[in-house]
Amino acid sequence: MNKNSVETRSEQLKAQIAAMQGIAVLVVGDIMLDRFVYGTVERISPESPVPVLSVKREDNMLGGAGNAMSNLSGLGVKAIALSLIGDDADGQAVQEKAEQLGIDTDGLIRDASRPTIVKTRFLAGHQQLLRSDFEKNEPISKGIAAQLLSKAEALIPTVKSVIISDYGKGLLSRELITAIMTAAQKFGVPVIVDPKGQDFSIYKGATAITPNKKELSEATRGMAVNSDEEVITAAQSLINDCGVENVVATRSADGMSVIQKSGPVAHFKSADIEVFDVSGAGDTVIATIAASMGAGTSLVDSVALANLAGGIVVAKVGTAPIRASELELALDSDQGDQQVNQKSKAGAHSATIATWAEAAEQVRRWKARGLKTGFTNGCFDILHLGHVSYLNDARARCDRLIVGLNHDASVRILKGETRPIHEENARGGVLAALGAVDMVVLFGAENVGDDNTACDLLSAVQPDIYFKGGDYTIDQIPEAPTVKSYGGTVDIMPVYEGHSTTASIKKAGPEAA
């Protein structure tokens, strides 16, 4: 493939991303709350030979079908939930998390007879000690089933595609699935299924199902699925026996394969990247396929984009969703992985200017590699030798350095209406080009009187070390309590005399323009 054809393919995939923005996708399936309890282990219980976890913090995120919804939200798609939650505090937490992501929760039905599904992982450092599942797997009542069916039939005509995310928790009965397929076919809406179990005939009428190798083998009575030819044979068997239109086989390190009832076979290689966590990658794949097909793209082209998306998320830690911006950046860099430092075609260093959520994900990834993350912040209006020396010294004390950059409104509050000299994107671009900087994140107050410290950003990102330059003691630094609250440390850096932005402006004089 020549350079022009590669660039054309990249532009085609970017057009797919643009086309899916704002479309509606219905997700039907088992929504859950994934809870992560982090702590340290320093002793064994005297009551039983088990470790005692001293809990430091707790994170909650959407799991199960909720992860597919999170991925749709990250792709710029309007996700509509059709699922069950309990009439309990965890159910309220699920609804609030979903609404924070912009997910339509009108289809979340509260069922007082069953609890919200909660999966809790207990971790010491990066080692998982235990997982507890709080759930009820019995089939849903006839009354709840009728509510789900009524909502499904009302919602399907309003969406561009449907995802069935089956985790086998009792919500998706054969009757409900059949009704969804019938309604979708009536309105020409594609249905993509993340299957469960061994009897895939319950998904008859699906546009595509997305089994992994193990699921594909089990659903075909143990057929071999190690080579391309074996995967094709097993998938064709599913198509013939179960009445599905297409099979998208996810094959881990061997990539993905598309086997169509009417159309050619297509294979996609996996990206050559370091895999940190495969949890949730299937949700990313199915969300990307459904969003792309909902925007009118063919199945094969949709899988091409989904393969790229899957390669990005497996380099993350935990069930982190994909984002449209990450796909676009990967396409621009002609890479399937999403490293923080991108290389231009000339090979020059350029760090990412990241959102808060992207920065938090990257810090988790760095920590999983055992890398120490540092953070400092400032206006960096006119970059001078003092800035560069400070950043180089800070980078020498950590493995990765993040710079929190005060946005323009924040700088005006700090420095007056004549500042900044350079707007935030220009300042961020210059910082990102420095070899000492691994990431830039904007922050700050919008109005006088608002909190203009980096406390909220530090709380979100949680770097290991917070660097502060100047003649301070730790108790004089407003960010210090935040850093200490999550177990970080504060490092006071030396003052670099004779260099300042104010001095540079004065030296330039009023006539400098």
Side-chain angles (χ1 to χ4, degrees):
M1 185 178 290
N2 61 38
K3 177 182 176 182
N4 288 337
S5 62
V6 170
E7 289 179 349
T8 300
R9 183 59 168 157
S10 177
E11 291 305 314
Q12 288 174 344
L13 293 174
K14 285 184 182 179
Q16 289 176 225
I17 298 169
M20 66 177 68
Q21 301 304 297
I23 69 167
V25 174
L26 176 64
V27 182
V28 187
D30 306 291
I31 197 167
M32 309 173 191
L33 188 66
D34 278 348
R35 179 168 289 142
F36 297 83
V37 179
Y38 298 92
T40 57
V41 172
E42 298 176 350
R43 63 191 180 96
I44 301 297
S45 171
E47 303 164 359
S48 182
V50 295
V52 176
L53 183 68
S54 178
V55 176
K56 302 298 182 184
R57 63 186 177 91
E58 181 180 298
D59 286 340
N60 293 312
M61 63 183 66
L62 295 181
N67 193 39
M69 299 174 201
S70 297
N71 278 277
L72 289 170
S73 179
L75 289 169
V77 174
K78 179 185 178 183
I80 302 175
L82 182 56
S83 187
L84 297 180
I85 54 176
D87 190 12
D88 49 30
D90 291 325
Q92 185 62 32
V94 166
Q95 182 159 345
E96 290 174 358
K97 286 283 182 184
E99 289 172 351
Q100 288 169 7
L101 292 171
I103 297 167
D104 186 328
T105 61
D106 286 347
L108 279 184
I109 298 172
R110 290 185 179 269
D111 185 352
S113 69
R114 55 201 300 138
T116 300
I117 301 172
V118 181
K119 294 186 177 182
T120 305
R121 286 92 167 167
F122 298 89
L123 300 98
H126 302 296
Q127 179 64 49
Q128 186 173 144
L129 303 178
L130 175 71
R131 192 183 95 177
S132 66
D133 290 359
F134 190 62
E135 60 189 22
K136 184 177 180 181
N137 291 340
E138 298 173 7
I140 59 177
S141 68
K142 292 182 178 179
I144 294 294
Q147 289 185 55
L148 286 167
L149 177 57
S150 176
K151 283 187 175 291
E153 291 176 338
L155 287 169
I156 286 171
T158 71
V159 301
K160 296 298 184 181
S161 63
V162 175
I163 292 173
I164 293 180
S165 183
D166 194 350
Y167 281 80
K169 304 302 181 183
L171 181 148
L172 286 162
S173 65
R174 183 182 289 269
E175 293 74 20
L176 177 60
I177 293 171
T178 300
I180 290 171
M181 298 300 179
T182 301
Q185 289 172 351
K186 177 180 178 181
F187 292 99
V189 176
V191 180
I192 320 300
V193 179
D194 186 0
K196 190 73 173 178
Q198 298 181 13
D199 180 11
F200 287 2
S201 67
I202 64 173
Y203 308 120
K204 181 179 180 180
T207 308
I209 58 173
T210 62
N212 58 33
K213 287 201 301 183
K214 181 174 181 289
E215 292 166 337
L216 179 58
S217 178
E218 290 177 347
T220 53
R221 300 170 296 281
M223 291 181 70
V225 291
N226 296 313
S227 66
D228 287 354
E229 292 72 20
E230 289 172 346
V231 168
I232 292 170
T233 301
Q236 288 174 335
S237 174
L238 273 185
I239 291 170
N240 294 333
D241 295 345
C242 300
V244 298
E245 291 295 315
N246 307 285
V247 173
V248 179
T250 58
R251 304 170 58 191
S252 302
D254 294 323
M256 298 171 64
S257 297
V258 182
I259 299 88
Q260 305 180 82
K261 184 176 182 179
S262 304
V265 171
H267 299 293
F268 296 91
K269 294 181 179 180
S270 60
D272 184 15
I273 57 173
E274 188 173 5
V275 175
F276 282 92
D277 197 336
V278 298
S279 59
D283 294 312
T284 298
V285 166
I286 197 170
T288 308
I289 293 172
S292 188
M293 290 192 72
T297 305
S298 70
L299 175 62
V300 171
D301 285 345
S302 297
V303 173
L305 193 63
N307 188 53
L308 177 61
I312 294 171
V313 297
V314 296
K316 299 184 180 186
V317 178
T319 51
I322 190 64
R323 291 188 176 83
S325 59
E326 292 173 320
L327 281 170
E328 291 168 345
L329 186 58
L331 289 168
D332 283 337
S333 62
D334 196 28
Q335 296 177 17
D337 59 344
Q338 185 58 29
Q339 302 299 322
V340 167
N341 290 336
Q342 301 297 322
K343 298 289 183 180
S344 71
K345 292 180 181 178
H349 169 88
S350 181
T352 297
I353 301 178
T355 65
W356 288 27
E358 290 166 346
E361 286 178 13
Q362 183 57 56
V363 169
R364 288 196 294 269
R365 195 182 316 161
W366 283 332
K367 288 183 177 180
R369 296 175 180 174
L371 300 176
K372 186 174 291 185
T373 304
F375 178 100
T376 192
N377 59 279
C379 301
F380 298 97
D381 196 359
I382 297 178
L383 206 64
H384 51 69
L385 180 61
H387 288 143
V388 175
S389 300
Y390 171 80
L391 294 172
N392 282 334
D393 286 350
R395 182 60 166 78
R397 303 185 191 197
C398 62
D399 299 307
R400 297 290 184 270
L401 181 64
I402 300 171
V403 176
L405 181 65
N406 293 81
H407 56 60
D408 290 349
S410 175
V411 176
R412 282 191 290 272
I413 292 169
L414 290 170
K415 305 292 185 180
E417 289 299 320
T418 61
R419 300 281 295 276
I421 302 299
H422 299 294
E423 54 88 24
E424 59 197 40
N425 290 327
R427 291 182 286 124
V430 172
L431 283 169
L434 296 178
V437 177
D438 296 286
M439 181 182 289
V440 179
V441 188
L442 294 168
F443 80 100
E446 295 289 345
N447 302 294
V448 175
D450 293 344
D451 179 16
N452 210 10
T453 70
C455 290
D456 288 346
L457 176 54
L458 285 164
S459 182
V461 175
Q462 299 191 1
D464 298 299
I465 310 171
Y466 176 58
F467 296 107
K468 183 71 174 179
D471 188 15
Y472 297 98
T473 60
I474 289 180
D475 60 1
Q476 294 173 321
I477 300 172
E479 290 86 356
T482 299
V483 176
K484 290 182 177 181
S485 71
Y486 62 77
T489 60
V490 178
D491 191 345
I492 299 176
M493 303 285 285
V495 178
Y496 298 87
E497 300 288 354
H499 304 283
S500 74
T501 299
T502 301
S504 298
I505 294 172
K506 288 182 178 179
K507 187 175 181 180
E511 69 281 357

